[in-house]
Protein backbone atom coordinates (compact mmCIF):
# COMPACT_ATOMS: atom_id res chain seq x y z
CA UNK A 1 0.00 0.00 0.00
CA UNK A 2 1.27 3.41 -0.87
CA UNK A 3 0.55 5.92 1.86
CA UNK A 4 -1.10 8.88 0.13
CA UNK A 5 -3.08 10.73 2.83
CA UNK A 6 -1.54 14.26 2.72
CA UNK A 7 -2.18 14.92 6.41
CA UNK A 8 -0.31 11.81 7.46
CA UNK A 9 2.54 12.41 5.02
CA UNK A 10 2.96 15.98 6.28
CA UNK A 11 3.04 14.82 9.93
CA UNK A 12 5.71 12.16 9.54
CA UNK A 13 8.80 14.44 9.81
CA UNK A 14 7.63 16.13 13.01
CA UNK A 15 6.85 12.71 14.51
CA UNK A 16 10.36 11.54 13.63
CA UNK A 17 8.98 8.81 11.38
CA UNK A 18 10.80 7.82 8.20
CA UNK A 19 8.78 6.41 5.30
CA UNK A 20 10.43 3.73 3.18
CA UNK A 21 8.31 3.41 0.06
CA UNK A 22 7.70 -0.01 -1.49
CA UNK A 23 9.65 -1.92 1.17
CA UNK A 24 10.06 -5.56 0.13
CA UNK A 25 9.14 -8.25 2.63
CA UNK A 26 11.04 -10.86 0.67
CA UNK A 27 14.08 -8.84 1.81
CA UNK A 28 12.82 -8.21 5.34
CA UNK A 29 11.81 -11.68 6.47
CA UNK A 30 14.03 -14.67 7.19
CA UNK A 31 11.80 -16.81 4.95
CA UNK A 32 12.46 -14.48 2.03
CA UNK A 33 8.78 -14.42 1.07
CA UNK A 34 6.40 -11.47 0.82
CA UNK A 35 5.22 -8.54 -1.25
CA UNK A 36 5.90 -4.83 -0.79
CA UNK A 37 4.33 -1.91 1.03
CA UNK A 38 5.27 1.39 2.71
CA UNK A 39 7.28 0.89 5.89
CA UNK A 40 7.18 3.52 8.64
CA UNK A 41 10.33 3.55 10.74
CA UNK A 42 9.70 4.99 14.21
CA UNK A 43 12.61 6.80 15.82
CA UNK A 44 10.85 8.02 18.99
CA UNK A 45 8.62 5.63 20.95
CA UNK A 46 6.62 8.62 22.22
CA UNK A 47 5.44 9.30 18.63
CA UNK A 48 3.50 6.03 18.42
CA UNK A 49 0.18 7.16 19.95
CA UNK A 50 -0.04 10.14 17.58
CA UNK A 51 1.03 8.12 14.56
CA UNK A 52 -1.49 5.39 15.25
CA UNK A 53 -4.26 7.92 15.91
CA UNK A 54 -3.52 9.45 12.49
CA UNK A 55 -3.57 6.06 10.74
CA UNK A 56 -6.75 4.98 12.50
CA UNK A 57 -8.40 8.35 11.79
CA UNK A 58 -7.68 7.99 8.08
CA UNK A 59 -8.76 4.33 8.00
CA UNK A 60 -5.26 3.16 7.03
CA UNK A 61 -4.69 -0.46 8.04
CA UNK A 62 -1.31 -1.15 9.66
CA UNK A 63 0.74 -4.00 11.07
CA UNK A 64 3.75 -3.96 13.31
CA UNK A 65 7.01 -5.70 12.37
CA UNK A 66 9.64 -7.00 14.79
CA UNK A 67 12.62 -8.80 13.27
CA UNK A 68 10.66 -10.67 10.57
CA UNK A 69 12.13 -14.01 11.64
CA UNK A 70 8.91 -15.85 12.53
CA UNK A 71 6.68 -14.48 9.85
CA UNK A 72 5.01 -15.61 6.59
CA UNK A 73 3.83 -12.64 4.51
CA UNK A 74 1.50 -12.70 1.48
CA UNK A 75 2.78 -11.96 -2.01
CA UNK A 76 2.24 -8.93 -4.28
CA UNK A 77 1.24 -5.49 -3.00
CA UNK A 78 0.37 -5.65 0.70
CA UNK A 79 -2.93 -4.02 1.73
CA UNK A 80 -1.56 -2.39 4.90
CA UNK A 81 1.38 -0.21 5.87
CA UNK A 82 3.94 -1.65 8.25
CA UNK A 83 5.39 0.03 11.34
CA UNK A 84 8.79 -0.82 12.79
CA UNK A 85 10.91 0.61 15.59
CA UNK A 86 14.27 2.06 14.55
CA UNK A 87 17.32 0.99 16.56
CA UNK A 88 18.08 3.23 19.50
CA UNK A 89 21.44 4.09 21.02
CA UNK A 90 22.21 2.67 23.46
CA UNK A 91 19.83 -0.26 23.03
CA UNK A 92 20.81 -1.87 26.37
CA UNK A 93 21.41 -0.21 29.74
CA UNK A 94 22.58 -2.23 32.74
CA UNK A 95 21.86 -1.43 36.36
CA UNK A 96 23.01 -4.12 38.83
CA UNK A 97 21.27 -7.33 37.78
CA UNK A 98 18.74 -5.47 35.64
CA UNK A 99 19.01 -4.96 31.90
CA UNK A 100 16.80 -2.28 30.33
CA UNK A 101 16.49 -3.24 26.68
CA UNK A 102 14.79 -1.56 23.73
CA UNK A 103 12.36 -3.79 21.82
CA UNK A 104 14.26 -3.28 18.54
CA UNK A 105 17.44 -4.77 20.02
CA UNK A 106 18.68 -8.01 18.49
CA UNK A 107 18.02 -10.88 20.92
CA UNK A 108 21.34 -12.67 20.33
CA UNK A 109 23.33 -9.48 20.77
CA UNK A 110 21.44 -8.76 23.99
CA UNK A 111 22.36 -12.20 25.35
CA UNK A 112 26.07 -11.72 24.53
CA UNK A 113 26.17 -8.11 25.77
CA UNK A 114 24.71 -9.17 29.13
CA UNK A 115 27.07 -12.19 29.23
CA UNK A 116 30.09 -9.91 28.87
CA UNK A 117 28.86 -8.11 31.97
CA UNK A 118 28.55 -11.40 33.88
CA UNK A 119 24.77 -11.58 33.58
CA UNK A 120 23.54 -15.01 32.48
CA UNK A 121 20.40 -17.12 32.36
CA UNK A 122 19.54 -16.53 28.73
CA UNK A 123 22.18 -18.83 27.18
CA UNK A 124 19.49 -21.04 25.60
CA UNK A 125 18.15 -18.07 23.63
CA UNK A 126 21.44 -17.35 21.89
CA UNK A 127 20.54 -18.71 18.47
CA UNK A 128 16.93 -17.54 18.41
CA UNK A 129 16.86 -14.98 15.60
CA UNK A 130 14.85 -11.78 15.89
CA UNK A 131 14.32 -8.79 18.16
CA UNK A 132 13.78 -8.63 21.90
CA UNK A 133 10.27 -7.25 21.21
CA UNK A 134 9.37 -10.21 19.02
CA UNK A 135 10.79 -12.64 21.58
CA UNK A 136 8.70 -11.01 24.33
CA UNK A 137 5.46 -11.08 22.35
CA UNK A 138 5.88 -14.83 21.57
CA UNK A 139 7.67 -15.76 24.80
CA UNK A 140 10.46 -17.16 22.66
CA UNK A 141 12.30 -20.12 24.09
CA UNK A 142 14.86 -22.80 23.43
CA UNK A 143 16.85 -25.38 25.37
CA UNK A 144 14.77 -25.00 28.52
CA UNK A 145 14.93 -21.19 28.63
CA UNK A 146 12.04 -18.81 27.93
CA UNK A 147 12.50 -15.05 27.91
CA UNK A 148 9.37 -14.57 30.07
CA UNK A 149 11.16 -16.01 33.13
CA UNK A 150 13.45 -12.96 33.25
CA UNK A 151 10.91 -10.21 32.56
CA UNK A 152 10.23 -7.79 35.39
CA UNK A 153 8.56 -4.96 33.51
CA UNK A 154 7.42 -4.19 29.96
CA UNK A 155 6.78 -0.82 28.38
CA UNK A 156 4.32 -1.14 25.52
CA UNK A 157 1.82 0.68 23.36
CA UNK A 158 -1.53 -0.78 24.36
CA UNK A 159 -3.84 -0.80 21.41
CA UNK A 160 -6.96 -0.86 23.63
CA UNK A 161 -6.24 2.42 25.46
CA UNK A 162 -4.17 3.79 22.55
CA UNK A 163 -1.43 4.85 24.93
CA UNK A 164 1.95 3.82 26.26
CA UNK A 165 1.79 1.85 29.51
CA UNK A 166 4.13 -0.08 31.77
CA UNK A 167 3.16 -3.55 32.95
CA UNK A 168 4.83 -5.42 35.79
CA UNK A 169 5.60 -9.13 35.64
CA UNK A 170 2.55 -10.05 37.75
CA UNK A 171 0.30 -8.34 35.17
CA UNK A 172 1.61 -10.47 32.28
CA UNK A 173 1.33 -14.21 31.78
CA UNK A 174 3.97 -16.04 29.79
CA UNK A 175 3.14 -19.53 28.57
CA UNK A 176 4.62 -21.83 25.93
CA UNK A 177 4.97 -19.55 22.86
CA UNK A 178 2.04 -17.50 24.13
CA UNK A 179 1.60 -14.34 26.21
CA UNK A 180 -1.30 -12.33 27.59
CA UNK A 181 -0.44 -9.31 25.39
CA UNK A 182 -3.19 -8.35 22.93
CA UNK A 183 -2.35 -9.13 19.29
CA UNK A 184 -2.08 -5.43 18.46
CA UNK A 185 -0.07 -4.36 21.53
CA UNK A 186 3.36 -3.07 20.54
CA UNK A 187 6.38 -3.92 22.70
CA UNK A 188 8.66 -0.92 23.30
CA UNK A 189 11.13 -1.83 26.04
CA UNK A 190 11.69 -4.42 28.74
CA UNK A 191 13.40 -4.67 32.09
CA UNK A 192 15.00 -8.08 32.54
CA UNK A 193 16.46 -9.36 35.79
CA UNK A 194 19.35 -11.75 35.19
CA UNK A 195 21.37 -13.93 37.56
CA UNK A 196 25.06 -13.09 38.07
CA UNK A 197 27.36 -15.65 36.45
CA UNK A 198 30.99 -15.47 35.32
CA UNK A 199 31.37 -14.70 31.60
CA UNK A 200 33.42 -17.85 30.99
CA UNK A 201 30.63 -20.04 32.38
CA UNK A 202 27.98 -18.30 30.33
CA UNK A 203 30.13 -18.66 27.23
CA UNK A 204 30.35 -22.40 27.79
CA UNK A 205 26.55 -22.63 27.92
CA UNK A 206 26.28 -20.50 24.77
CA UNK A 207 28.73 -22.76 22.91
CA UNK A 208 26.80 -25.90 23.86
CA UNK A 209 23.49 -24.41 22.63
CA UNK A 210 25.07 -23.17 19.40
CA UNK A 211 26.49 -26.63 18.75
CA UNK A 212 23.15 -28.36 19.42
CA UNK A 213 21.41 -25.94 17.09
CA UNK A 214 23.97 -26.27 14.32
CA UNK A 215 23.70 -30.06 14.42
CA UNK A 216 19.90 -30.21 14.34
CA UNK A 217 18.57 -27.13 12.47
CA UNK A 218 19.01 -25.87 8.88
CA UNK A 219 20.69 -22.59 9.86
CA UNK A 220 22.06 -21.72 6.43
CA UNK A 221 18.67 -21.87 4.70
CA UNK A 222 15.82 -19.40 4.59
CA UNK A 223 13.24 -20.37 7.22
CA UNK A 224 11.04 -19.00 9.97
CA UNK A 225 12.26 -21.52 12.54
CA UNK A 226 9.68 -24.05 13.64
CA UNK A 227 6.42 -23.82 11.68
CA UNK A 228 4.21 -25.58 14.25
CA UNK A 229 4.02 -25.45 18.03
CA UNK A 230 4.80 -28.73 19.71
CA UNK A 231 1.74 -30.61 20.98
CA UNK A 232 1.70 -31.07 24.78
CA UNK A 233 4.37 -33.65 25.62
CA UNK A 234 5.16 -34.31 21.93
CA UNK A 235 7.30 -33.06 19.08
CA UNK A 236 5.89 -31.76 15.81
CA UNK A 237 9.28 -32.29 14.15
CA UNK A 238 9.41 -35.95 15.15
CA UNK A 239 5.82 -36.59 13.95
CA UNK A 240 6.49 -35.02 10.54
CA UNK A 241 9.78 -36.90 10.28
CA UNK A 242 8.09 -40.23 11.17
CA UNK A 243 5.65 -39.65 8.32
CA UNK A 244 8.61 -39.54 5.93
CA UNK A 245 7.87 -35.96 4.93
CA UNK A 246 11.42 -34.56 5.05
CA UNK A 247 12.08 -33.14 1.59
CA UNK A 248 8.34 -33.01 0.74
CA UNK A 249 7.75 -29.79 -1.18
CA UNK A 250 5.28 -27.53 -2.91
CA UNK A 251 7.12 -25.43 -5.46
CA UNK A 252 10.23 -24.17 -3.67
CA UNK A 253 8.63 -24.48 -0.21
CA UNK A 254 10.18 -27.56 1.33
CA UNK A 255 10.21 -29.55 4.57
CA UNK A 256 13.83 -29.36 5.73
CA UNK A 257 15.94 -32.52 5.44
CA UNK A 258 17.59 -31.59 8.70
CA UNK A 259 14.65 -30.72 10.97
CA UNK A 260 11.15 -31.64 9.87
CA UNK A 261 9.44 -28.74 11.70
CA UNK A 262 11.50 -26.22 9.71
CA UNK A 263 10.02 -25.43 6.29
CA UNK A 264 12.55 -23.72 4.06
CA UNK A 265 12.36 -21.48 1.04
CA UNK A 266 14.68 -23.40 -1.25
CA UNK A 267 14.60 -20.81 -4.04
CA UNK A 268 11.66 -18.70 -5.08
CA UNK A 269 8.85 -20.09 -2.92
CA UNK A 270 5.64 -18.05 -2.89
CA UNK A 271 3.39 -17.51 0.09
CA UNK A 272 0.80 -19.75 -1.58
CA UNK A 273 3.41 -22.56 -1.89
CA UNK A 274 4.26 -22.28 1.80
CA UNK A 275 0.60 -22.16 2.88
CA UNK A 276 -0.18 -25.22 0.79
CA UNK A 277 2.80 -27.10 2.29
CA UNK A 278 1.69 -26.14 5.81
CA UNK A 279 -1.90 -27.30 5.14
CA UNK A 280 -0.84 -30.60 3.58
CA UNK A 281 1.58 -31.47 6.38
CA UNK A 282 -1.01 -30.52 9.01
CA UNK A 283 -3.58 -32.80 7.30
CA UNK A 284 -1.14 -35.71 7.13
CA UNK A 285 -0.29 -35.35 10.83
CA UNK A 286 -3.98 -35.13 11.71
CA UNK A 287 -4.85 -38.20 9.64
CA UNK A 288 -2.19 -40.31 11.40
CA UNK A 289 -1.97 -38.87 14.90
CA UNK A 290 -5.45 -37.32 15.27
CA UNK A 291 -3.87 -34.04 16.36
CA UNK A 292 -4.28 -30.63 14.70
CA UNK A 293 -0.91 -28.89 14.82
CA UNK A 294 -1.11 -25.20 15.66
CA UNK A 295 1.00 -22.64 13.78
CA UNK A 296 4.01 -21.27 15.59
CA UNK A 297 4.83 -19.03 12.62
CA UNK A 298 2.80 -15.80 12.43
CA UNK A 299 0.75 -15.41 9.25
CA UNK A 300 0.23 -12.07 7.51
CA UNK A 301 -1.61 -13.70 4.67
CA UNK A 302 -5.02 -12.00 4.66
N1 LIG B 1 13.18 -34.90 15.88
C1 LIG B 1 13.12 -35.84 14.90
N2 LIG B 1 13.15 -35.43 13.59
C2 LIG B 1 13.22 -34.13 13.24
C3 LIG B 1 13.26 -33.16 14.23
C4 LIG B 1 13.24 -33.56 15.56
O1 LIG B 1 13.04 -37.03 15.19
O2 LIG B 1 13.23 -33.85 12.04
C5 LIG B 1 13.18 -35.31 17.28
C6 LIG B 1 14.54 -35.01 17.93
O3 LIG B 1 15.45 -36.04 17.71
C7 LIG B 1 14.15 -34.85 19.38
C8 LIG B 1 12.73 -34.30 19.34
O4 LIG B 1 12.24 -34.56 18.03
O5 LIG B 1 14.12 -36.10 20.02
C9 LIG B 1 12.69 -32.78 19.61
O6 LIG B 1 13.49 -32.11 18.65
P1 LIG B 1 14.37 -30.80 18.99
O7 LIG B 1 15.22 -31.06 20.17
O8 LIG B 1 15.00 -30.35 17.74
O9 LIG B 1 13.33 -29.76 19.50
P2 LIG B 1 11.93 -29.31 18.92
O10 LIG B 1 10.91 -29.64 19.95
O11 LIG B 1 11.70 -29.79 17.54
C10 LIG B 1 11.99 -26.96 20.07
C11 LIG B 1 11.59 -25.59 19.65
C12 LIG B 1 12.71 -24.92 18.87
C13 LIG B 1 13.96 -24.89 19.73
C14 LIG B 1 14.32 -26.33 20.11
C15 LIG B 1 15.50 -26.41 21.06
C16 LIG B 1 9.18 -25.52 19.26
C17 LIG B 1 8.10 -25.56 18.25
N3 LIG B 1 10.41 -25.65 18.80
O12 LIG B 1 12.14 -27.73 18.87
O13 LIG B 1 12.30 -23.59 18.61
O14 LIG B 1 15.03 -24.30 19.02
O15 LIG B 1 13.21 -26.93 20.80
O16 LIG B 1 15.10 -26.09 22.36
O17 LIG B 1 8.91 -25.34 20.45
C18 LIG B 1 11.20 -22.13 17.07
O18 LIG B 1 10.48 -21.79 18.01
O19 LIG B 1 11.08 -21.64 15.95
C19 LIG B 1 12.21 -23.14 17.32
C20 LIG B 1 13.00 -23.58 16.35
Amino acid sequence: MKLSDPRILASLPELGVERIGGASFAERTSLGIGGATDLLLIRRHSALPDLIALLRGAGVAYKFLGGGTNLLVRDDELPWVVLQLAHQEPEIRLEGNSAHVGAAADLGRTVTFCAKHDLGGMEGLIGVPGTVGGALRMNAGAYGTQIGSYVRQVELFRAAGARIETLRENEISFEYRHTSFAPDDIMLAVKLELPSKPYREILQGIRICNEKRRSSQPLNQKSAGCIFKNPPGGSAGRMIDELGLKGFSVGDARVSDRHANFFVNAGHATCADMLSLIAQVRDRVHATYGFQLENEVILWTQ
Side-chain angles (χ1 to χ4, degrees), residues 70 128 141-144 176-177 213 216-217 224-230 234-238 241 246 256-262 296:
N70 192 36
V128 176
Y143 305 112
Y176 168 64
R177 299 294 195 277
R213 204 178 276 280
S216 63
Q217 301 182 358
C226 285
I227 285 287
F228 299 113
K229 293 185 188 179
N230 282 334
S235 160
R238 186 183 296 143
D241 193 358
K246 278 184 170 170
S256 160
D257 293 317
R258 184 164 271 234
H259 193 301
N261 198 12
F262 278 61
E296 205 264 349

Side-chain angles (χ1 to χ4, degrees), residues 178-200:
H178 180 80
T179 62
S180 53
F181 301 119
D184 44 4
D185 284 347
I186 297 174
M187 307 296 115
L188 297 175
V190 63
K191 177 180 169 188
L192 302 167
E193 193 178 308
L194 302 168
S196 299
K197 224 181 192 185
Y199 178 47
R200 264 189 314 127

Side-chain angles (χ1 to χ4, degrees), residues 41-74:
L41 205 52
I42 297 154
R43 303 206 178 281
R44 269 188 282 116
H45 294 174
S46 57
L48 253 181
D50 287 345
L51 175 65
I52 287 178
L54 277 169
L55 295 172
R56 283 181 177 170
V60 176
Y62 65 88
K63 289 187 183 289
F64 187 83
L65 176 69
T69 55
N70 192 36
L71 187 63
L72 173 59
V73 183
R74 60 183 265 172

Side-chain angles (χ1 to χ4, degrees), residues 2-78:
K2 191 167 160 44
L3 201 55
S4 57
D5 186 291
R7 220 178 121 227
I8 299 177
L9 290 174
S11 305
L12 296 182
E14 73 207 40
L15 290 172
V17 174
E18 181 188 345
R19 182 172 71 95
I20 300 170
S24 156
F25 274 72
E27 289 168 12
R28 283 176 171 75
T29 58
S30 56
L31 256 179
I33 295 175
T37 187
D38 280 6
L39 180 77
L40 301 178
L41 205 52
I42 297 154
R43 303 206 178 281
R44 269 188 282 116
H45 294 174
S46 57
L48 253 181
D50 287 345
L51 175 65
I52 287 178
L54 277 169
L55 295 172
R56 283 181 177 170
V60 176
Y62 65 88
K63 289 187 183 289
F64 187 83
L65 176 69
T69 55
N70 192 36
L71 187 63
L72 173 59
V73 183
R74 60 183 265 172
D75 299 307
D76 304 321
E77 180 159 357
L78 307 176

